[in-house]
């Protein structure tokens, strides 16, 4: 299953299962946050996340996905997404995007957050703030029958005034029994265009934003995506259900 095709709507009971998956994922982030500081290696963070997930009876969603070698994606500074955890020590002034997904009882949750390491420049702090706000701006427009373009446009509208580059080659996605389901969720678009999202739709919304242009490059490892101009990048993601009562963030 990919991000094209039919959207699989989830029942209230299924959304409850996804909520449990998202709650465990949030607990993983809460534990990681105790360790994210200058000097820690991205590999140590990966080991902590892997143990928590496996000990809870869940399964890391990224490990082995198309051959991905780790539980976390750890993307530092100009790295946008899909960085490998390893021996790199995080240093004061860096930022690291931690992206993690898991399956609990066959239901997937997916979330990402970019953390400042110690004190970062005002310019970088602003990038993190705006990117996180753009995620919440998207979530805020979700309701039954909202059009996909309206969601994408809300994300874009929160970013564009700052002159940042929105990454276009990578997108959000539907999520459920598979990590990547329909629909594809773009981080740019036009209000009142595209398909209508019914109640029961669950999506992972994940703006990726660069201080420079939105152009990307993939490193020789075949995975790590960086900004083509090497400018710092930020990435925030939540798994969100659209219900009759409005949006429910399953990974909050
Ligand atoms: Mg993710
Ligand atoms: Mg995702």
């Amino acid at each position: 299953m990919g991000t094209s095709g039919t959207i699989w709507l989830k029942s209230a009971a299924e959304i409850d299962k996804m909520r449990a998956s998202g709650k465990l994922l949030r607990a993983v982030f809460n534990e990681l946050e105790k360790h994210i500081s200058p000097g820690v290696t991205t590999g140590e963070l990966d080991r902590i996340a892997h143990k928590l997930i496996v000990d809870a009876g869940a399964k890391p969603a990224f490990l082995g996905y198309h051959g991905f070698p780790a539980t976390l994606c750890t993307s530092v500074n100009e790295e946008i997404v899909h960085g490998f955890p390893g021996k790199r020590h995080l240093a004061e002034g860096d930022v690291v995007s931690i992206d993690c997904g898991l399956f609990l009882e066959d239901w997937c949750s997916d979330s990402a957050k970019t953390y400042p390491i110690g004190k970062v420049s005002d310019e970088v702090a602003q990038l993190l703030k705006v990117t996180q706000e753009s995620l919440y701006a998207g979530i805020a427009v979700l309701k039954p029958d909202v059009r996909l373009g309206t969601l994408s446009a809300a994300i874009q509208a929160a970013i564009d005034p700052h002159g940042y580059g929105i990454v276009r080659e990578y997108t959000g996605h539907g999520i459920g029994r598979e990590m990547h389901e329909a629909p594809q969720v773009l981080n740019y678009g036009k209000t009142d265009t595209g398909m209508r999202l019914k109640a029961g739709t669950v999506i992972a919304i994940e703006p990726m934003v660069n201080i420079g242009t939105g152009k990307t490059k993939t490193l020789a490892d075949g995975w790590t995506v960086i900004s083509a101009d090497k400018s710092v990048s930020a990435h925030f993601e939540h798994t969100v259900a659209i219900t009759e009562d409005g949006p429910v963030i399953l990974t909050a």
Side-chain angles (χ1 to χ4, degrees):
M1 195 183 290
T3 55
S4 62
T6 312
I7 296 177
W8 182 19
L9 300 179
K10 280 79 182 176
S11 68
E14 289 170 337
I15 289 173
D16 278 346
K17 295 215 167 200
M18 293 192 73
R19 195 194 307 266
S21 176
K23 193 176 169 192
L24 174 61
L25 182 54
R26 183 47 45 201
V28 172
F29 275 90
N30 289 345
E31 183 60 31
L32 287 174
E33 283 171 15
K34 298 177 190 164
H35 300 270
I36 297 172
S37 59
V40 74
T41 67
T42 52
E44 285 167 46
L45 298 175
D46 189 67
R47 281 189 289 279
I48 290 164
H50 185 269
K51 184 170 180 352
L52 283 168
I53 292 169
V54 170
D55 285 353
K59 191 166 123 357
F62 301 172
L63 185 62
Y65 183 82
H66 294 292
F68 190 80
T71 294
L72 300 180
C73 295
T74 55
S75 306
V76 182
N77 298 337
E78 76 277 10
E79 296 171 358
I80 302 168
V81 285
H82 306 161
F84 293 168
K87 290 181 178 153
R88 181 171 187 161
H89 291 269
L90 296 174
E92 178 92 22
D94 284 342
V95 297
V96 62
S97 157
I98 305 282
D99 192 351
C100 187
L102 62 82
F103 286 92
L104 179 67
E105 292 181 1
D106 296 329
W107 291 96
C108 193
S109 52
D110 187 7
S111 187
K113 183 170 179 177
T114 302
Y115 296 91
I117 307 301
K119 181 138 182 63
V120 298
S121 70
D122 290 348
E123 188 188 30
V124 168
Q126 175 76 4
L127 173 75
L128 301 190
K129 181 169 175 280
V130 168
T131 306
Q132 186 165 37
E133 284 170 356
S134 76
L135 168 59
Y136 285 98
I139 293 169
V141 303
L142 295 180
K143 59 182 180 185
D145 298 318
V146 70
R147 297 184 77 167
L148 197 47
T150 299
L151 162 60
S152 297
I155 297 167
Q156 181 176 10
I159 298 164
D160 274 353
H162 301 273
Y164 297 139
I166 298 174
V167 173
R168 292 178 176 237
E169 287 104 319
Y170 302 88
T171 69
H173 48 92
I175 181 168
R177 286 190 186 272
E178 305 278 343
M179 181 160 57
H180 295 133
E181 298 183 356
Q184 189 177 48
V185 180
L186 303 179
N187 294 309
Y188 60 94
K190 284 197 172 60
T191 300
D192 290 331
T193 63
M195 66 174 79
R196 293 187 185 278
L197 301 177
K198 305 284 174 211
T201 302
V202 183
I203 49 179
I205 305 173
E206 48 179 316
M208 290 150 264
V209 181
N210 303 340
I211 286 183
T213 77
K215 291 205 172 63
T216 71
K217 219 175 98 175
T218 303
L219 297 185
D221 62 24
W223 279 100
T224 310
V225 179
I226 66 167
S227 58
D229 59 10
K230 304 267 181 80
S231 64
V232 173
S233 184
H235 178 209
F236 287 82
E237 177 180 28
H238 272 311
T239 298
V240 187
I242 300 174
T243 75
E244 293 294 351
D245 300 325
V248 177
I249 304 175
L250 303 177
T251 45

